[in-house]
Amino acid sequence: PPSCRFQIMMAAGGADIDAGAPGSQLQPWEQENAAREAAEGVKAGTCTILDVVETLGSPLENADPRMRARGLQMLSEVLLQCYSLLQEKEVTHLALFFENRLKDHHAVIPSVLQGLRALSMCTALAPGLAVSVLKAIFQEVHVQSLLQMDRHTVYSIITNFMNSREAELKSLGADFTFGFIQVMDGEKDPRNLLVAFQIVRDIIIKGYALGPFVEELFEVTSCYFPIDFIPPANDPHGIQREDLIASLRAVLTSTPAFAEFLLPLLIEKMDSDVQSAKVDSLQTLNAACMVYGQKELKDFLPSLWSSLRREVFQTASERIETEGLSALRALSTCLSRSVLSSDDEDLLDSFLRGILKDCRHHLCEPDMKLVWPSAKLLQAAAGGSLRACYQITSNVFPLLVEQYSKHLQSSQRRTILEVLLGFLELRQKWGPEEEDKSPLLCFKDALCSMVFSALAEPNVQLQLVGIRALTFLGLLQGLLDLPDMDKLVDSLAQFILYEEDSQTSLAAMEAAGTLTPFYPEAFSRCLVRKLSKGLQSGIACLLGGFSRGRRGSSSALPYQACVKKGLVSPPLSTGANCAVAFTCISLASLCGLKHMKYIKGADWFLDYGYCCSHLCSGWDYGGTLLVCSFKQMPCLAAVFFVLLVSELQEDSTPFQQDRCLQALAAVSTHPSIMKETVPILLQHLQKVQKGSMEAGVHSVVSVCQSLKQVALQCHQNVQNYWYFHQAVVPCLMGLAVQASMQENTHTMLSKVLLTEEALSAMVLVISTACMYLSPELAAQSVSKVVALFLDGELSFIPGNSFPSTFQPFQDGQCPVQTQKKLVALLMAFVCSLPRNVPIPQQDRLLRDLLALSCSSDCLFTATAAAKCFAGLVNKHPAGPQLDELLRTAMDKLEQGLNEAPHRSQALTLLLWVSKALLLRYHPLTTHLTDKLLVLLGDTVLGPAVGDGFALLMADSPDVLGKSCHAEMRLMFRQRFFTECVPQLVQGFHTAAPGVKANYLKGLSHILNHLPKPVLVTELPTLLPLLLEALSCADHVVQLSTLHCLQPLLLDAPLVVSLHIDTLVSKFLNLTDSPAMAIRIAALQCLHALASLPTPVVIPYKPRVIRALAKPLDDKKRLVRKEAVTARGEWFLLGTPGR
């Protein structure tokens, strides 16, 4: 058609093409539009591709190469847009035409290649055409003389044909491989290399014939190894060095045929001085071992081992050492993987024997300088397979046991035990022990004796390693028999109950928690009972442990335990503690059996000869005189002994109980153990209820912390979690309710359980016990709890014989006022449930909570009611009910904010409701935010409102957090920032001087919780305000602003550099702040300033160094530490290499 013909002619060069005149030059976009319109004509059927070719006949046959190129380019662009519509006959004619044009002038070649690329994507491609086209390209085109884009076109053609005509290309045999080698040889552009590397990998993986060109194919790719490409700044293509490394590595390690060429290359690069080349070589070797077998590695194993050994023994980089060990492990795995025939040499055996020969003698050196490098090499080799592990450990274990007995220093023994621990960790990679092969079973007794002796040493670090080793021994199923297991549990119990060092005790608890699921009976029998008794009496547990130690097979551990508790003095120790300990033991021996009857619990000292056998010099003269005088008055000695024991009991009971509580929680990792420990913990609280024990808030908080840990450990098992919920929640509710009803009796129960600290601890337990419930189980409990608080229904509480009614929402005096505090427990329950759990009587509950939050004189009660109300509002379905509820709440808020007695309570409710609605993007959020902004100007409530912005922006740990299933939309902080900050800034500028700090406080809190990328973009406009906030007298504002600025100093150096003078001055001034946290934050900011461009900060170097001399003498260690770090960075400014 004429229109199509006109567009084609115009695109090709102009209307005078037939006359041979050079047509008018069209802009590229005009040519693209013309080609698009012509392609649309082909798609619509108004013309055919043959019409296009005929129309372009003159340009295609023009004597001027440039005109021919333009005609071919036009045809190619049309084909690229309509290649899927071509018929097989059309494709054949076009392919032959373009093949012929490859012999044309070099200026025509790029346009021809574009046409061939379009044809390579056609599905109607006749058989044999792909081979014909590629042969033509291989023979007629010198690819590397083309521009990058044209070379990329050639790679695209090859890739398309490999994807669609694989069988035809394979018929070329090795000629195809050779042709591609010629195409790729000399390629330098990283964009093309990524495609070329993928083609090479496909050639190998898809089984194309390599023929005699294996070495040539390796050489054409390995010449790029190792990759040293550094991407240019602002590279639009986004190609990274790691992309090229991964692509090339996939090629080099794709076939064992490359092994004889690759392994020498890797050895050569490992011996170089370039660290990046070493790392790349080691990683490539690691990858190659996944493909190679013994046959490929055999001739290179000695050289590889030599290089790897050197990199570990003489390493200058931790990363090189890590990669070297990983490569050694891969070699061991590769050699273990191969299946051997009867005539084959076992290369793994010989390889490991060589490693043992080179490394084991270092384990025996007296100075132990090369123990760790040797151990790492042995462990890496052993990590390759179970067979390798057996061979290495069977040689190493007896050596480690021997060296442990030879070395007497704790540091040396710790090193040996850590080496053993490394081998034990390796053993966990495989399944259960094989009794006839395992070296662990063969050397079990020696290893256990070695580990248990380490536990008896006084060195804490050695004990920690011993506990870890003991844990791994216990984790190996079937290794330890029953007596060994009992001894293990008893050893852990000794550390938990009697060890003064908290680090060791916590390690023992962690070990017990790890092993309990595997040995529940042993821990129930040996540990849980001791812990239960320990809660009853700290001194009885202490002395019981002493007595049990006396009956043990080894005297070292009980004596160690006695030293730790002060009952036996270490050699040559003096002082008051020594005197008390010696007096205590000596009095027990001097009183004799006749007078021991005066002493309650004296049976623990019946065998006093054992104690006295450990007494040594160091007993001072006065103590000896005192004991001698008691020989004449044994009854007086007995009385004095009672006084000493009671003093020890008074000091040790809280500490001992905390240990027992922590340990009970730690071992509750098995259902049967958990069902024993939970009642014990609850019984401990019930003793407070009955007044049968002296207890403070700390004791109640400790029990609650243990219960919370148990809940977190069992929540993944539905049955265990439900048991915990049913056992704990009613019990805690009942204890608190009974305490609130007995407030007027002034019992110990009411004073302890109703403190804010105790109630807050119980809140965490109840919340944790509810947040993981399924909706079905949660619905069973919530009706009972709501009925308890709204209707006083006490039936679900155990032992529900209470002296009065429970009415927390009714007005009245004590005990009703005390009962109101328990709304915190209601909050913990109902606000932790999933959103799809219906709350019974929800409307009534919300009305009561709203009234209580605005009317209670107790701030704790009002806050709990406000949080509970906000948590329920956040999960409330949208609709008329919610709208009516919020209107009622707004009326209450307006009234409360205008009445002086309860303004603080109303503000608390406003903040929590604002957060609840902000998280779910409710439309009322804007109105509430405006209300808060107005209140910033209030001289009384303004500071609290400023602090409230931190509550709005921070992640809530309880009712409005993710763990409590709150409805939380993405990017709520960014939305709040966008809506609020402009008004904050405007309000700051127009506010009275007395309230400006409130606006700065709010702004600082918002920015401190804003995601860093958002903050960086807004920094230029906000930085002046942040600098002014540093001059604010409010310490909260200063600290929040410093925490906000510190990361920005590193992420926005250009903006920060404009204010460098002000920043340096303000940071230095704040290093003299009376608040330690501000001094530390200011020093951290000064440290961050040193990372700015050197020309910016170097003029301030002398001033900062002089000013930082004063914090070096600060009375607080943490401040001195930060001052040293910051001053060191400023000292290094401008030095070479920084």
Side-chain angles (χ1 to χ4, degrees), residues 513-740:
T514 303
L515 294 174
T516 297
F518 300 93
Y519 308 97
E521 297 84 3
F523 278 92
S524 174
R525 182 179 64 254
C526 301
L527 181 58
V528 174
R529 293 178 184 177
K530 293 180 182 179
L531 297 175
S532 178
K533 292 179 180 178
L535 285 178
Q536 301 172 10
S537 174
I539 192 66
C541 184
L542 187 153
L543 299 180
F546 175 77
S547 177
R548 284 189 296 275
R550 173 183 56 79
R551 298 187 180 98
S553 59
S554 172
S555 63
L557 184 57
Y559 175 64
Q560 170 70 17
C562 296
V563 170
K564 293 290 184 183
K565 303 312 299 181
L567 294 178
V568 177
S569 176
L572 300 179
S573 63
T574 58
N577 292 334
C578 173
V580 171
F582 273 110
T583 303
C584 188
I585 296 172
S586 301
L587 288 176
S589 62
L590 292 174
C591 289
L593 297 178
K594 178 179 178 181
H595 300 282
M596 292 295 281
K597 63 183 179 181
Y598 296 105
I599 305 175
K600 182 180 179 181
D603 55 309
W604 302 114
F605 283 104
L606 287 179
D607 194 354
Y608 58 86
Y610 174 79
C611 303
C612 296
S613 66
H614 291 290
L615 298 182
C616 52
S617 59
W619 179 245
D620 60 15
Y621 178 74
T624 306
L625 213 68
L626 180 64
V627 173
C628 292
S629 67
F630 284 150
K631 289 182 179 180
Q632 307 302 323
M633 296 177 290
C635 293
L636 179 61
V639 174
F640 188 62
F641 173 74
V642 171
L643 295 175
L644 290 173
V645 168
S646 64
E647 182 178 354
L648 287 174
Q649 181 177 4
E650 181 180 352
D651 294 338
S652 63
T653 297
F655 173 81
Q656 196 76 21
Q657 288 180 352
D658 283 352
R659 285 283 182 83
C660 293
L661 292 171
Q662 294 175 25
L664 285 171
V667 299
S668 301
T669 52
H670 188 272
S672 63
I673 298 293
M674 189 262 290
K675 292 177 181 179
E676 291 184 53
T677 57
V678 168
I680 293 173
L681 293 171
L682 295 177
Q683 288 170 11
H684 191 66
L685 283 180
Q686 290 167 352
K687 288 183 179 180
V688 180
Q689 175 190 17
K690 297 175 182 179
S692 60
M693 63 172 290
E694 294 185 3
V697 176
H698 174 77
S699 178
V700 177
V701 172
S702 297
V703 175
C704 291
Q705 289 174 344
S706 297
L707 287 171
K708 179 185 176 184
Q709 183 180 346
V710 175
L712 291 173
Q713 291 171 174
C714 71
H715 79 271
Q716 294 182 344
N717 186 299
V718 176
Q719 294 180 348
N720 295 341
Y721 189 65
W722 181 236
Y723 165 81
F724 180 89
H725 176 87
Q726 290 182 305
V728 173
V729 173
C731 181
L732 292 182
M733 292 275 190
L735 291 175
V737 168
Q738 186 165 3
S740 68

Side-chain angles (χ1 to χ4, degrees), residues 26-261:
L26 297 181
Q27 296 296 326
W29 64 269
E30 294 176 316
Q31 184 169 336
E32 291 176 4
N33 289 338
R36 187 180 303 110
E37 292 182 13
E40 290 297 330
V42 175
K43 294 177 182 179
T46 57
C47 63
T48 65
I49 195 67
L50 295 180
D51 293 333
V52 176
V53 175
E54 290 176 1
T55 305
L56 291 173
S58 296
L60 296 178
E61 298 174 356
N62 198 288
D64 187 352
R66 292 176 298 170
M67 294 303 302
R68 294 200 302 275
R70 294 182 63 188
L72 289 167
Q73 181 65 27
M74 174 64 188
L75 178 58
S76 298
E77 290 178 3
V78 174
L79 290 175
L80 285 171
Q81 297 181 53
C82 61
Y83 62 87
S84 59
L85 302 176
L86 300 181
Q87 302 296 319
E88 181 177 322
K89 184 177 180 181
E90 294 175 327
V91 173
T92 302
H93 288 302
L94 289 169
L96 294 176
F97 168 73
F98 280 119
E99 280 184 36
N100 183 266
R101 291 298 183 176
L102 287 174
K103 303 175 183 179
D104 203 339
H105 193 274
H106 64 85
V108 176
I109 300 301
S111 301
V112 176
L113 293 174
Q114 289 292 338
L116 290 174
R117 183 168 72 91
L119 296 179
S120 69
M121 294 185 286
C122 292
T123 55
L125 195 66
L129 274 183
V131 173
S132 175
V133 169
L134 288 182
K135 281 185 175 180
I137 292 176
F138 292 157
Q139 294 174 3
E140 305 296 342
V141 182
H142 185 247
V143 176
Q144 291 305 314
S145 64
L146 302 176
L147 297 177
Q148 179 272 328
M149 184 181 299
D150 301 325
R151 301 199 303 274
H152 193 277
T153 302
V154 174
Y155 297 130
S156 299
I157 294 171
I158 297 174
T159 301
N160 292 336
F161 282 143
M162 291 181 70
N163 292 333
S164 60
R165 295 292 185 268
E166 180 179 334
E168 294 182 26
L169 300 189
K170 286 183 177 179
S171 66
L172 284 172
D175 291 341
F176 174 72
T177 303
F178 179 70
F180 179 75
I181 292 173
Q182 290 181 310
V183 168
M184 181 184 174
D185 191 14
E187 183 59 66
K188 296 180 181 179
D189 191 276
R191 293 166 289 180
N192 293 343
L193 283 175
L194 285 176
V195 183
F197 288 155
Q198 184 60 47
I199 292 174
V200 176
R201 189 172 186 275
D202 289 341
I203 289 174
I204 297 171
I205 297 300
K206 294 181 178 180
Y208 286 82
L210 303 183
F213 306 113
V214 175
E215 184 173 2
E216 286 77 5
L217 186 62
F218 175 80
E219 291 294 338
V220 81
T221 53
S222 64
C223 62
Y224 302 100
F225 183 85
I227 297 289
D228 57 358
F229 169 69
I230 300 176
N234 302 320
D235 182 16
H237 306 288
I239 298 176
Q240 300 296 320
R241 177 173 177 267
E242 291 72 20
D243 300 329
L244 291 169
I245 289 175
S247 186
L248 176 59
R249 184 175 298 148
V251 172
L252 298 180
T253 61
S254 58
T255 173
F258 283 168
E260 60 178 309
F261 314 113

Side-chain angles (χ1 to χ4, degrees), residues 327-625:
L328 179 59
R329 187 179 302 108
L331 278 174
S332 177
T333 302
C334 178
L335 296 176
S336 304
R337 189 172 55 239
S338 301
V339 179
L340 302 176
S341 64
S342 57
D343 299 331
D344 290 337
E345 177 187 0
D346 188 355
L347 289 181
L348 177 65
D349 180 71
S350 58
F351 182 63
L352 296 179
R353 278 191 280 107
I355 295 175
L356 286 166
K357 179 181 177 182
D358 290 342
C359 293
R360 63 173 293 158
H361 66 278
H362 292 303
L363 301 178
C364 305
E365 294 176 352
D367 55 6
M368 303 184 70
K369 288 184 178 179
L370 295 177
V371 167
W372 271 119
S374 302
K376 289 177 181 179
L377 288 168
L378 290 169
Q379 289 167 3
S385 66
L386 183 59
R387 185 159 68 100
C389 185
Y390 280 170
Q391 184 167 345
I392 294 290
T393 53
S394 61
N395 285 272
V396 171
F397 280 169
L399 192 62
L400 293 176
V401 173
E402 178 186 354
Q403 292 302 309
Y404 186 88
S405 61
K406 284 184 178 180
H407 293 87
L408 301 180
Q409 294 183 11
S410 297
S411 60
Q412 295 173 328
R413 287 191 163 189
R414 185 180 74 246
T415 300
I416 295 171
L417 202 58
E418 286 174 341
V419 172
L420 171 65
L421 183 62
F423 286 103
L424 293 177
E425 291 174 351
L426 279 177
R427 183 57 189 82
Q428 282 194 301
K429 292 174 58 177
W430 297 284
E433 294 283 348
E434 299 178 24
E435 295 185 4
D436 57 336
K437 296 181 180 180
S438 172
L440 278 173
L441 290 174
C442 299
F443 299 102
K444 184 199 72 171
D445 295 337
L447 294 177
C448 289
S449 175
M450 173 178 166
V451 173
F452 283 119
S453 68
L455 299 181
E457 294 287 339
N459 185 275
V460 172
Q461 298 302 318
L462 181 57
Q463 290 174 350
L464 291 174
V465 180
I467 291 173
R468 291 172 57 201
L470 199 62
T471 305
F472 278 102
L473 287 174
L475 288 175
L476 297 173
Q477 294 284 323
L479 180 66
L480 300 181
D481 51 24
L482 185 59
D484 291 329
M485 200 60 232
D486 288 343
K487 190 175 181 181
L488 182 152
V489 177
D490 189 63
S491 299
L492 294 179
Q494 296 280 351
F495 282 110
I496 292 172
L497 293 172
Y498 316 129
E499 178 58 54
E500 289 183 353
D501 183 79
S502 60
Q503 189 178 7
T504 306
S505 178
L506 290 175
M509 293 181 196
E510 183 180 352
T514 303
L515 294 174
T516 297
F518 300 93
Y519 308 97
E521 297 84 3
F523 278 92
S524 174
R525 182 179 64 254
C526 301
L527 181 58
V528 174
R529 293 178 184 177
K530 293 180 182 179
L531 297 175
S532 178
K533 292 179 180 178
L535 285 178
Q536 301 172 10
S537 174
I539 192 66
C541 184
L542 187 153
L543 299 180
F546 175 77
S547 177
R548 284 189 296 275
R550 173 183 56 79
R551 298 187 180 98
S553 59
S554 172
S555 63
L557 184 57
Y559 175 64
Q560 170 70 17
C562 296
V563 170
K564 293 290 184 183
K565 303 312 299 181
L567 294 178
V568 177
S569 176
L572 300 179
S573 63
T574 58
N577 292 334
C578 173
V580 171
F582 273 110
T583 303
C584 188
I585 296 172
S586 301
L587 288 176
S589 62
L590 292 174
C591 289
L593 297 178
K594 178 179 178 181
H595 300 282
M596 292 295 281
K597 63 183 179 181
Y598 296 105
I599 305 175
K600 182 180 179 181
D603 55 309
W604 302 114
F605 283 104
L606 287 179
D607 194 354
Y608 58 86
Y610 174 79
C611 303
C612 296
S613 66
H614 291 290
L615 298 182
C616 52
S617 59
W619 179 245
D620 60 15
Y621 178 74
T624 306
L625 213 68

Side-chain angles (χ1 to χ4, degrees), residues 740-775:
S740 68
M741 293 180 180
Q742 296 177 349
E743 167 65 16
N744 55 349
T745 63
H746 302 289
T747 62
M748 177 65 67
L749 167 66
S750 59
K751 292 180 181 179
V752 173
L753 289 182
L754 296 180
T755 59
E756 294 181 9
E757 294 85 351
L759 288 175
S760 298
M762 286 191 278
V763 162
L764 296 177
V765 178
I766 294 174
S767 178
T768 310
C770 297
M771 62 178 58
Y772 300 106
L773 286 176
S774 65

